[in-house]
Amino acid sequence: MINPSARANKTGAYYFSQKLTEISQLEAQGRTILNLGIGNPDLAPDPKVTTALIEAACQAEAHQYQSYRCTPALRQALSAWYKRNFGVALDYRDEVLPLIGSKEGIMHLSLAFLDPGDEVLIPDPGYPIYANAAVAAGAKAIYYNLTAAKGWLPDVAELESLVSPTTKMLWLNFPGNPTGAVASEADLQALVSFADKHQILLCHDNPYALILNEEPLSILAIKGAMEVAVELNSLSKSHNMPGWRLGMLAGKAAYLDAVAKMKSYSDTGIFRPIQEAAIVALEADEAWYSALQSTYLQRRTLICQLLDELQCSYATTGAGLYLWAAIPPGWQDSFAYSDYLLSTFDLFVAPGSVYGRNGEGYIRVALTQPAEALAQLLRRVQQHELSSLQV
Ligand SMILES: Cc1ncc(COP(=O)(O)O)c(C=O)c1O
């Protein structure tokens, strides 16, 4: 046996990949598990999008390697989508870089900008990939706190106390995973000023911008942001295309060039039919977006009822694909509570501590199952409560 690298040995297995194996084993035993633990949209994209995919796949030239930065038409569509939704003008020639999902962008941004010994400011709780990517690049993850008391938003005074001469990058994500917190323009402006003062690259991860969010915001709309910030976005959640793997990085050309260079050694553009179908998805009209919002709203209402029944407390002020709820008092920790829901109700929700120390005491519930399944689950929980009262 040839040993994996120290880097690979240091990296623990991703919680969700392990848990999904456990869930498959339960299903093999005949249980039907309702998975509200993963932010994996269950709805299909617009049928026009799949038709475009099929038609494009039938073209003889569809199967070749593609340009490293994908087609100008895809970059134009992404740029127009940014203008429409966020009021941000991006030059499609060099301020938009298509990605194989934004997760890939997190890794390549880290490889492009971090040296061993650099420090990266990372939200706790937050999407776990930021820290793994930093460590893979040889840098050190320094966590900043997000807490209920501060609306799950960064405290610039705390960031000032954590910054050092080796701080190189700061990760932000609004609407937040897992908390759903939404930052205002003033919050983002303060963070841009902080990054500018310390010359830190601000990486804003924005995949939930268009889900149950009244005022979608791009950090690139903030004054001065183009000089110090880049933004990741994705079609995974906004267009129900998580398996397609299509994301983007937006920002100043010089920043994107560094990422494109690293990427060119690991991938060779995106499958042409996916690019062509993505253009159709990006051109979706208002009616398509609002139908999606209504579906998520109906699901969110049912999940709120479920959380009430379970005596979990939550705020409905957030946006995005999740409800972030405090577990009832008396439970040892969020893993124990998540295991209890799995064994008692065949329900999987994500334990909050997967997202960091400040996630302890919380669960994250994704809006990614149909209303009928949620209503059935709600009835099961209500009946369970009744039968335990009768005992
Ligand atoms: C905050 C955040 N960033 C990035 C991603 C990855 O998205 P993509 O499918 O574009 O790789 C996710 C996926 O859940 C996420 O929650």
Side-chain angles (χ1 to χ4, degrees):
M1 170 69 191
I2 296 168
N3 284 331
S5 67
R7 183 190 315 112
N9 284 333
K10 224 169 37 182
T11 305
Y14 192 34
Y15 168 79
F16 289 109
S17 71
Q18 265 180 334
K19 198 70 190 179
L20 288 181
T21 309
E22 190 186 321
I23 289 174
S24 310
Q25 283 160 358
L26 291 175
E27 287 178 330
Q29 292 161 19
R31 305 243 310 260
T32 305
I33 308 297
L34 194 70
N35 188 340
L36 301 180
I38 316 264
N40 188 5
D42 58 313
L43 298 161
D46 191 314
K48 281 190 277 195
V49 177
T50 30
T51 305
L53 176 79
I54 294 163
E55 283 174 1
C58 296
Q59 294 163 9
E61 68 280 12
H63 310 285
Q64 293 187 296
Y65 288 125
Q66 295 298 311
S67 149
Y68 288 100
R69 294 193 185 216
C70 298
T71 60
L74 175 62
R75 282 181 276 115
Q76 273 165 340
L78 289 165
S79 164
W81 184 65
Y82 248 67
K83 183 79 187 142
R84 238 181 0 265
N85 288 291
F86 306 110
V88 172
L90 297 168
D91 188 332
Y92 77 93
R93 287 168 301 183
D94 51 12
E95 292 178 344
V96 175
L97 178 66
L99 300 169
I100 305 177
S102 51
K103 199 172 182 184
E104 177 249 297
I106 296 170
M107 183 60 79
H108 281 120
L109 262 168
S110 304
L111 293 176
F113 283 92
L114 298 174
D115 286 312
D118 282 344
E119 294 186 350
V120 185
L121 295 169
I122 291 175
D124 172 357
Y127 187 48
I129 306 303
Y130 308 138
N132 286 79
V135 171
K140 194 169 164 202
I142 306 287
Y143 290 95
Y144 65 87
N145 291 303
L146 302 177
T147 59
K150 297 230 153 92
W152 306 103
L153 292 167
D155 174 357
V156 176
E158 189 203 13
L159 293 176
E160 287 287 356
S161 74
L162 294 174
V163 79
S164 81
T166 50
T167 308
K168 186 75 183 287
M169 186 181 269
L170 164 58
W171 280 100
L172 299 174
N173 162 225
F174 304 110
N177 174 11
T179 67
V182 179
S184 67
E185 264 184 68
D187 295 325
L188 294 181
Q189 185 65 69
L191 290 157
V192 167
S193 303
F194 169 80
D196 182 50
K197 175 174 162 195
H198 297 286
Q199 288 299 290
I200 295 168
L201 185 67
L202 209 53
C203 299
H204 185 226
D205 190 14
N206 202 8
Y208 299 101
L210 301 186
I211 308 291
L212 297 182
N213 191 10
E214 297 278 304
E215 285 177 41
L217 255 185
S218 162
I219 201 158
L220 300 176
I222 304 297
K223 190 161 163 274
M226 279 302 266
E227 291 310 309
V228 288
V230 290
E231 183 161 275
L232 290 165
N233 218 312
S234 169
L235 273 69
S236 295
K237 325 283 174 175
S238 56
H239 294 84
N240 299 335
M241 294 163 73
W244 293 53
R245 313 309 301 130
L246 209 138
M248 67 180 279
L249 180 66
K252 181 164 145 161
Y255 293 145
L256 270 53
D257 288 348
V259 176
K261 188 165 65 177
M262 300 310 289
K263 259 175 76 62
S264 68
Y265 289 96
S266 71
D267 73 72
T268 313
I270 294 171
F271 184 43
R272 177 73 173 243
I274 291 185
Q275 297 190 45
E276 292 193 12
I279 295 171
V280 176
L282 289 162
E283 286 165 356
D285 57 18
E286 271 311 307
W288 188 83
Y289 285 109
S290 58
L292 184 63
Q293 304 312 308
S294 312
T295 304
Y296 280 137
L297 203 56
Q298 186 194 15
R299 293 174 175 192
R300 191 163 75 173
T301 306
L302 283 162
I303 292 176
C304 288
Q305 287 170 1
L306 175 76
L307 291 170
D308 290 339
E309 218 48 67
L310 293 169
Q311 295 177 0
C312 293
S313 48
Y314 56 89
T316 48
T317 47
L321 203 57
Y322 310 105
L323 274 160
W324 179 238
I327 65 178
W331 282 91
Q332 185 198 340
D333 59 35
S334 59
F335 281 106
Y337 189 63
S338 165
D339 284 345
Y340 156 77
L341 295 178
L342 187 58
S343 59
T344 314
F345 300 113
D346 288 340
L347 165 64
F348 174 53
V349 300
S353 44
V354 169
Y355 304 95
R357 284 217 307 246
N358 292 328
E360 187 46 270
Y362 290 83
I363 49 171
R364 190 197 75 170
V365 189
L367 313 180
T368 48
Q369 293 286 346
E372 302 70 44
L374 297 172
Q376 261 177 24
L377 170 70
L378 181 60
R379 280 195 294 278
R380 269 207 315 280
V381 172
Q382 285 164 337
Q383 278 156 12
H384 178 86
E385 301 293 311
L386 274 180
S387 62
S388 53
L389 281 180
Q390 279 156 9
V391 171

